[in-house]
């Protein structure tokens, strides 16, 4: 095993190991918080990332996609609706479908996406809800973004995020489809998410232990 002493981007821990996969990519796996990050030299350009994302058919006309978003909102947001008047869909993608559904629930929603809607409309604002669906796996500097989002929440605000946590059996990481998406560069365990939230005055309000992670302010 090759050890790695570059500090972890989440917890600054220096104890880690390198994982080299069959497709010759190198990942750092932090022994302290569990964070796994793709080595910088494999990170694709923004143009390539944009092209790859545009291959997804995530539009309002894709019934399966819209049903999935409705299910997410009905399960995780609707029960809180009384307290949610404003939202930011962070990383909304090329067609901000979620914001349209939130509008339909009477929630005023801003959108931001570093590739498709790069205007920082959130500057100087605070939100009751921030959604970040399938965003965290794309982040080169997740702690910075987490800090930004924490700062944009009202004191009772909720951050509703989805990202797949990596398999409990790390031996499965190599063949995991989520890893093999060229735009996915950061991977989390439940422990990593706890470190991230604690580092920014947040805590995990709910996690399904797999994909859905809801954070609130402490
Ligand atoms: Zn770490």
């Amino acid at each position: 095993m090759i050890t790695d002493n570059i500090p972890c981007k989440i917890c600054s821990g220096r104890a880690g190991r390198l994982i080299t996969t069959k497709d010759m990519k190198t990942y750092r796996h932090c022994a302290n918080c569990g964070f796994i990050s793709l080595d910088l030299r494999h990170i694709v350009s923004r143009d390539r990332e944009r092209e790859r994302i545009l291959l997804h058919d995530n539009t309002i006309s894709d019934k399966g996609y819209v049903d999935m978003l409705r299910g997410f909102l009905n399960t995780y947001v609707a029960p809180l609706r009384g307290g949610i008047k404003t939202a930011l869909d962070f990383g909304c993608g090329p067609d901000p479908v979620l914001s349209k559904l939130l509008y339909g629930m009477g929630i005023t929603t801003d959108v931001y996406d570093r590739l498709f809607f790069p205007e920082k409309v959130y500057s100087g604002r605070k939100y009751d809800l921030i959604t970040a669906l399938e965003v965290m796996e794309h982040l080169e500097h997740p702690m910075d973004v987490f800090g930004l989002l924490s700062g944009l929440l009202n004191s009772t605000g909720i951050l509703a995020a989805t990202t797949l946590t990596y398999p409990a059996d790390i031996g499965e990481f190599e063949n995991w489809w989520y890893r093999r998406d060229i735009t996915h560069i950061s991977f989390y365990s439940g422990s990593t998410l706890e470190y991230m939230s604690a580092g920014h005055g947040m805590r995990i309000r709910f996690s399904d232990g797999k994909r859905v992670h809801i954070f609130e302010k402490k």
Side-chain angles (χ1 to χ4, degrees):
M1 184 177 78
I2 305 165
T3 54
D4 177 32
N5 70 355
I6 292 179
C8 169
K9 291 180 187 176
I10 304 296
C11 72
S12 302
R14 285 181 179 271
R17 66 178 182 123
L18 297 177
I19 300 171
T20 302
T21 51
K22 277 181 274 190
D23 50 359
M24 300 310 290
K25 286 187 178 173
T26 302
Y27 297 81
R28 295 189 161 75
H29 181 201
C30 176
N32 189 38
C33 75
F35 182 57
I36 298 178
S37 62
L38 178 64
D39 188 78
L40 268 179
R41 69 181 185 274
H42 304 304
I43 293 178
V44 300
S45 69
R46 288 203 171 189
D47 285 347
R48 184 119 188 262
E49 186 177 15
R50 187 182 288 107
E51 277 171 26
R52 175 73 181 82
I53 288 169
L54 285 171
L55 290 176
H56 296 301
D57 186 25
N58 291 343
T59 65
I60 197 88
S61 59
D62 180 341
K63 185 173 180 305
Y65 179 63
V66 174
D67 285 349
M68 184 275 289
L69 293 179
R70 277 193 207 286
F72 176 82
L73 292 176
N74 287 339
T75 306
Y76 300 107
V77 176
L80 312 165
R81 181 157 38 174
I84 297 177
K85 307 280 187 242
T86 58
L88 169 67
D89 185 16
F90 187 88
C92 60
D95 184 3
V97 178
L98 189 71
S99 69
K100 292 170 189 163
L101 300 180
L102 286 164
Y103 267 116
M105 296 167 73
I107 299 170
T108 305
T109 306
D110 284 341
V111 297
Y112 170 80
D113 190 291
R114 69 187 161 94
L115 296 175
F116 302 102
F117 294 89
E119 187 189 347
K120 293 178 179 171
V121 289
Y122 50 73
S123 283
R125 296 188 185 169
K126 295 270 188 184
Y127 298 95
D128 301 321
L129 169 72
I130 297 176
T131 52
L133 305 193
E134 302 301 296
V135 169
M136 293 172 67
E137 63 275 16
H138 297 275
L139 299 176
E140 190 175 339
H141 300 289
M143 274 306 253
D144 293 348
V145 173
F146 212 80
L148 169 71
L149 299 184
S150 173
L152 291 174
L153 282 175
N154 285 322
S155 59
T156 57
I158 296 290
L159 167 61
T162 65
T163 189
L164 273 186
T165 47
Y166 61 76
D169 177 358
I170 195 69
E172 295 173 15
F173 181 75
E174 165 119 27
N175 293 319
W176 189 33
W177 69 273
Y178 211 63
R179 175 194 78 76
R180 288 184 280 114
D181 183 315
I182 59 164
T183 66
H184 292 182
I185 62 177
S186 291
F187 307 94
Y188 310 82
S189 67
S191 172
T192 321
L193 298 176
E194 282 176 17
Y195 265 91
M196 291 178 72
S197 42
H200 287 295
M202 309 269 287
R203 66 180 157 217
I204 300 173
R205 177 187 176 115
F206 168 81
S207 174
D208 67 359
K210 188 179 175 196
R211 179 166 230 150
V212 179
H213 318 284
I214 311 287
F215 303 89
E216 64 185 356
K217 296 258 196 172
K218 271 187 191 164

